[in-house]
Amino acid sequence: MRIRLVDAFTDRPFTGNPAGVLLLDAFPDDAWLQNVALEMNQAETAFAHPLPGGGEADWALRWFTPATEVNLCGHATLATAHVLHTTGAHRGPVRFATRSGVLVATPAEDGSITLDFPTAPLTAVEAPPGLAEALGAEPLTVLDTGPNVGDLLVEVADEETVLGLAPDLKALATCSERGVIVTTRPAGAAGHDFVSRCFFPRVGIDEDPVTGSAHTALAPFWSERLGRTALTGLQASPRSGLVRTELRGERTLLTGRAVTVVEGELLAPPE
């Protein structure tokens, strides 16, 4: 079996968000999938297999962190679509059957890929006890992002605050179902409309480099604030990456690029 490491939401190696990608004939047992994800030790490893023709989807897709399976992952979906198209395993738009419904990835002639994801429903909530202390910053706004994403979306005062965050990850893990998205407007003129960082210690990811699923919440939040449906977000992790978003009501389009960095042979097949 060929296994790959793909940097997503970037066009340069060693930036963006790396994801493992493994194409299979069928899904083995969950324990084996989890062990492969743990061995890859990336934020997510994606597993996909082709489905029979004539159905609502072309490939089945699942995502695992080193610790658990997740309901939605943008960068690993982008990475999987990139592998399918660059290897010729699938041509044209690909429909993935996932825990979050059918997700479509459409390649463009310029090499970018657009993901069609469900828009996260945002609900204003009270900040959980200890959130400000865990983050090391005072929240201005706190929103729940719904069951698919499972994060808290937290607005803070300025870009300097976002860039300077060094949260207490053990304490932060108690604040939400999955993680915490922290966001604000950029300082001065920039080639992007908002800035974010994402922390997911509860699922074994201290800080995620570029989080597609988080942008299904960031897009409606900032589109309402800025009065535009098409935006660009910078996720300001050490690896960094840009995500172009377009809000279409209950769906959000996420556009980015990907590059395969490592390709090898997995020598531990399921028994």
Side-chain angles (χ1 to χ4, degrees), residues 118-125 141-155 181 183 213-225 247 249-250 252:
T119 300
L122 302 181
T123 305
V125 295
T141 308
V142 181
L143 300 105
D144 179 81
T145 60
N148 285 340
V149 176
D151 299 331
L152 287 181
L153 176 59
V154 178
E155 181 189 12
I181 308 162
T183 190
S213 61
H215 284 76
T216 68
L218 289 161
F221 179 79
W222 286 112
S223 289
E224 182 178 357
R225 293 287 186 92
L247 186 64
E250 295 183 353
T252 294

Side-chain angles (χ1 to χ4, degrees), residues 167-207:
D168 178 339
L169 295 167
K170 184 176 180 180
L172 200 65
T174 67
C175 292
S176 72
E177 180 183 339
R178 185 182 74 159
V180 176
I181 308 162
V182 186
T183 190
T184 193
R185 289 293 309 278
H192 48 273
D193 301 292
F194 57 87
V195 178
S196 68
R197 289 175 68 189
C198 295
F199 305 97
F200 306 122
R202 190 179 181 92
V203 294
I205 306 165
D206 290 346
E207 180 172 5

Side-chain angles (χ1 to χ4, degrees), residues 1-4 20-24 32 36 45-48 266:
M1 292 179 289
R2 305 299 292 174
I3 192 163
R4 297 166 174 87
V21 178
L22 183 60
L23 304 183
L24 300 159
W32 184 85
V36 172
T45 296
F47 302 91
L266 181 61

Side-chain angles (χ1 to χ4, degrees), residues 239-258:
R239 290 177 64 102
S240 190
L242 291 172
V243 183
R244 300 202 310 270
T245 69
E246 184 177 344
L247 186 64
R248 293 188 175 181
E250 295 183 353
R251 309 296 295 184
T252 294
L253 304 184
L254 310 173
T255 300
R257 297 173 181 267

Side-chain angles (χ1 to χ4, degrees), residues 47-213:
F47 302 91
H49 71 76
L51 295 171
E56 65 174 4
D58 307 301
W59 288 73
L61 177 62
R62 297 171 71 181
W63 314 277
F64 286 77
T65 76
T68 190
E69 185 172 8
V70 295
N71 291 333
L72 186 66
C73 180
H75 86 279
T77 304
L78 179 64
T80 305
H82 168 80
V83 169
L84 291 175
H85 294 303
T86 55
T87 62
H90 189 92
R91 300 192 182 279
V94 55
R95 302 167 299 167
F96 293 113
T98 78
R99 278 187 169 190
S100 295
V102 175
L103 308 175
V104 181
T106 303
E109 291 185 1
D110 65 0
S112 66
I113 295 173
T114 296
L115 308 177
D116 183 335
F117 272 30
T119 300
L122 302 181
T123 305
V125 295
E126 294 292 328
L131 176 62
E133 292 78 10
L135 274 178
E138 192 65 34
L140 300 180
T141 308
V142 181
L143 300 105
D144 179 81
T145 60
N148 285 340
V149 176
D151 299 331
L152 287 181
L153 176 59
V154 178
E155 181 189 12
V156 296
D158 51 40
E159 185 173 5
E160 183 180 3
T161 300
V162 171
L163 298 180
L165 289 174
D168 178 339
L169 295 167
K170 184 176 180 180
L172 200 65
T174 67
C175 292
S176 72
E177 180 183 339
R178 185 182 74 159
V180 176
I181 308 162
V182 186
T183 190
T184 193
R185 289 293 309 278
H192 48 273
D193 301 292
F194 57 87
V195 178
S196 68
R197 289 175 68 189
C198 295
F199 305 97
F200 306 122
R202 190 179 181 92
V203 294
I205 306 165
D206 290 346
E207 180 172 5
D208 199 34
V210 192
T211 314
S213 61

